[in-house]
Amino acid sequence: MYYLLALFIVLLDQWTKWLVVKGMEIGESSEVIKDFLYITSHRNRGAAWGMLEGQLWLFYIITVVVIIGIVYYMQTQAKNKPLMQSALALLLGGAIGNFIDRIFRKEVVDFINTYIFSYDFPIFNIADASLTMGVILLMGAMIIEDRKEKELMNGKNRT
Ligand code: KNH
């Protein structure tokens, strides 16, 4: 079941956050790849880019809605659609990972500090990466499913 993939993501996310919390002071930064990748211990009380700082209740509600939506979607639409199911598993794992932080820490631990996209790209974590990849993969899966249906329909019309 794809829930195992989601569980793996949650465990990986929580383990890396635990390592950062235990092993680093807030604000401390260690270089992984010069001018490219650093591990910087950071906390975020908001959503992406620190939006809606401190609105924890709003985040709880959105996250619960997101999780329910994903599970519902997995059980209905995404049945025997592996690409869509894995995208949903990535989203589920990421959402739960940050949800755990928000419940137990009242903030999210971030540590992946990259300078690829733009100089001031926000520091994020495994859960965010999983969410972002899930969003991209889900959009891809929808496009592919849509194309398949069109071909199927055209095939019927042609015969
Ligand atoms: C990450 C983001 C692009 C755009 C949103 C959507 C609203 C609702 C619940 C969550 C939120 C999200 C979900 C309450 C880092 C499940 C850093 C964030 C996004 C999303 C726009 C911190 C994640 C920046 C807390 C991709 C953010 C970033 C969250 C979703 C890129 C769709 C780079 C990734 C690689 N994370 O949402 O400090 O700002 O870790 O938890 O905000 O709130 O990610």
Side-chain angles (χ1 to χ4, degrees), residues 44 46-49 51 59 62-63 95 98 102 108 110 121-125 128 131-132 135:
N44 181 352
W49 299 291
M51 285 190 304
F59 299 146
I62 297 175
T63 307
N98 281 339
R102 289 191 170 113
V108 178
D110 290 323
F121 197 76
I123 303 173
F124 57 94
N125 56 36
D128 297 327
L131 276 160
T132 310
V135 165

Side-chain angles (χ1 to χ4, degrees), residues 64-141:
V64 166
V65 168
V66 164
I67 290 172
I68 292 170
I70 290 168
V71 172
Y72 174 75
Y73 212 69
M74 273 178 114
Q75 301 300 348
T76 56
Q77 307 288 332
K79 270 272 174 247
N80 57 55
K81 287 178 183 168
L83 194 61
M84 202 172 273
Q85 291 216 339
S86 29
L88 291 167
L90 286 174
L91 287 169
L92 187 59
I96 294 171
N98 281 339
F99 195 27
I100 293 171
D101 273 27
R102 289 191 170 113
I103 295 171
F104 295 107
R105 298 183 211 274
K106 300 280 181 268
E107 60 188 358
V108 178
V109 175
D110 290 323
F111 55 91
I112 303 174
N113 193 3
T114 59
Y115 293 105
I116 329 170
F117 306 107
S118 62
Y119 188 70
D120 60 351
F121 197 76
I123 303 173
F124 57 94
N125 56 36
I126 302 285
D128 297 327
S130 177
L131 276 160
T132 310
M133 285 188 289
V135 165
I136 294 164
L137 203 58
L138 189 63
M139 287 191 289

Side-chain angles (χ1 to χ4, degrees), residues 19 39 49 53 59 88 94 128 157-159:
L19 285 176
I39 300 289
W49 299 291
E53 174 100 22
F59 299 146
L88 291 167
D128 297 327
N157 301 348
R158 208 171 292 124
T159 44

